Amino acid sequence: DAGVIQSPRHEVTEMGQEVTLRCKPISGHNSLFWYRQTMMRGLELLIYFNNNVPIDDSGMPEDRFSAKMPNASFSTLKIQPSEPRDSAVYFCASSLDRGLQGYTFGSGTRLTVV
Amino acid sequence: AQKVTQAQTEISVVEKEDVTLDCVYETRDTTYYLFWYKQPPSGELVFLIRRNSFDEQNEISGRYSWNFQKSTSSFNFTITASQVVDSAVYFCALGIHNTDKLIFGTGTRLQVFP
C-alpha cells in the first residue's frame, strides 16, 4: 500500500488566496483525520471523518476552514481566504477502527501564506 | 480533562547512551490508549506503539522499550544504545475509548550526536 498520500507537499500562497489541501487515505481505512502542526500549538486535531461523515469539527479554527470527504478515497481541506497565521504543516491521517489502532499519517503539506 | 505532558523539551545524548523519554497523562476514563510517534527531520509521523489501559506489561522491540505504569500515569519510552538515526521529535499521545481523538503531547526533541 502506498500509505496516506497528501498533495501538495509544499504550498506558498499570498494572503487572501484560496488554498486546497488534498488527501488520499489508505484503502480500507474508514476514519480520516486532519491535523495542523505549529511550533506554538503543536499537533492540533482539526476535524475527523468516519465512513465519510464529519464527526467532530470542533478543532476547525474559523469559518475560513472547511473540509469535505466526498468518498472513501479522497478528502480536502480548504482555507478561504488564507491568512499568514495559517502557515503550518497540515497532516492527514487515516485509520481502521476509528483511530484507536493507531493512525497512519501522510507526509504533510507545508503551507506558507505570505 | 485529558492531557499529555512531555516535560522534556529537548534531550541531547552521545551515541550508544541509553535515553528515556518521559510521558505523563491525565484522564478520568478507565479505558484509554497510549501511543508513541516518531517525527524524524523529514517530517513524517511514524507510529511506534499502542498500549491499552488494561495491559500494563512492558514492551520491548529491539532497542526500544516502553514502561507503562498506571499508578503514576506514565508511559515512558527508553532507547537503548542510541544511534544518530534516532534523532527525531517523539510524541506521546492519549486516545480515549469511544472517541476518535488522539491528544498529543508537545513532543521531545532527541538529538543523538556521534
Side-chain angles (χ1 to χ4, degrees):
Chain A
D1 199 319
V4 176
I5 299 173
Q6 290 187 247
S7 63
R9 288 298 305 275
H10 302 275
E11 175 82 31
V12 180
T13 190
E14 290 186 348
M15 183 174 64
Q17 297 297 306
E18 177 180 295
V19 175
T20 299
L21 311 181
R22 297 173 176 79
C23 175
K24 177 179 167 54
I26 290 175
S27 177
H29 281 190
N30 56 3
S31 295
L32 183 140
F33 308 80
W34 282 101
Y35 274 85
R36 177 172 70 175
Q37 185 177 32
T38 61
M39 289 295 292
M40 291 295 294
R41 295 173 180 263
L43 277 159
E44 304 173 274
L45 177 63
L46 300 178
I47 184 171
Y48 68 89
F49 297 82
N50 184 251
N51 293 322
N52 312 339
V53 176
I55 303 300
D56 185 345
D57 64 356
S58 60
M60 296 285 261
E62 301 171 34
D63 291 345
R64 299 184 295 106
F65 286 70
S66 62
K68 294 182 180 180
M69 192 165 186
N71 57 61
S73 59
F74 185 65
S75 176
T76 59
L77 177 67
K78 185 177 293 187
I79 308 172
Q80 164 65 15
S82 57
E83 296 183 3
R85 59 195 168 114
D86 301 331
S87 297
V89 179
Y90 291 81
F91 286 102
C92 175
S94 72
S95 182
L96 199 54
D97 190 21
R98 298 179 70 103
L100 294 181
Q101 298 299 323
Y103 299 15
T104 301
F105 282 81
S107 299
T109 295
R110 182 174 295 277
L111 172 66
T112 304
V113 183
V114 298
Chain B
Q2 289 98 23
K3 184 179 178 182
V4 176
T5 301
Q6 294 181 257
Q8 302 152 308
T9 305
E10 189 163 341
I11 301 174
S12 295
V13 298
V14 177
E15 215 170 14
K16 298 184 183 177
E17 283 186 35
D18 298 347
V19 58
T20 295
L21 310 181
D22 298 333
C23 173
V24 174
Y25 62 91
E26 295 177 30
T27 180
R28 292 183 179 176
D29 294 85
T30 56
T31 303
Y32 53 90
Y33 305 85
L34 296 164
F35 301 81
W36 276 95
Y37 282 84
K38 175 182 180 179
Q39 188 174 39
S42 51
E44 71 272 25
L45 284 157
V46 180
F47 169 77
L48 295 179
I49 190 172
R50 167 190 176 270
R51 304 295 285 175
N52 72 56
S53 54
F54 299 108
D55 182 3
E56 285 192 73
Q57 276 194 331
N58 292 331
E59 181 153 340
I60 298 174
S61 176
R63 296 183 298 105
Y64 294 173
S65 62
W66 291 270
N67 184 351
F68 176 26
Q69 291 197 340
K70 288 178 76 171
S71 60
T72 56
S73 297
S74 65
F75 186 45
N76 296 338
F77 174 29
T78 297
I79 302 174
T80 303
S82 59
Q83 300 177 0
V84 173
V85 293
D86 296 327
S87 297
V89 180
Y90 291 87
F91 291 93
C92 181
L94 169 68
I96 306 301
H97 188 56
N98 289 332
T99 77
D100 294 305
K101 297 183 179 182
L102 276 189
I103 300 164
F104 282 86
T106 50
T108 297
R109 180 179 298 278
L110 173 65
Q111 292 193 322
V112 182
F113 294 98

